[in-house]
Amino acid sequence: MNTYRTNATIAGVLYIIGTASGILSMALSQPLRDARDPLAAAAANANQVTTAALLVLLMTLSLALVPVALYP
């Protein structure tokens, strides 16, 4: 019975990490998407684009691992 609780806790933590990183990536990329010339803004803020992309990758991996953690 303890393994089900552990699996549920891991899945919950992965879900929270995925949600938080998705929100942070949207917050970081918002000024770039609202710019008059998005490509020029992305070129000027390369670190911001890289951080937002890594957060999206983290979101993808953590949310893809939720079903793996819940599979018995």
Side-chain angles (χ1 to χ4, degrees):
M1 194 69 163
N2 193 13
T3 58
Y4 294 131
R5 181 180 171 98
T6 304
N7 290 349
T9 303
I10 291 170
V13 168
L14 286 172
Y15 188 78
I16 290 171
I17 288 172
T19 303
S21 63
I23 291 170
L24 286 174
S25 70
M26 290 298 288
L28 276 175
S29 64
Q30 184 68 34
L32 300 175
R33 290 184 282 124
D34 288 342
R36 182 176 170 112
D37 187 8
L39 293 178
N45 301 313
N47 290 335
Q48 191 174 3
V49 172
T50 303
T51 305
L54 287 175
L55 285 170
V56 168
L57 181 65
L58 178 66
M59 177 186 66
T60 304
L61 290 174
S62 65
L63 292 179
L65 288 175
V66 168
V68 173
L70 290 177
Y71 190 73

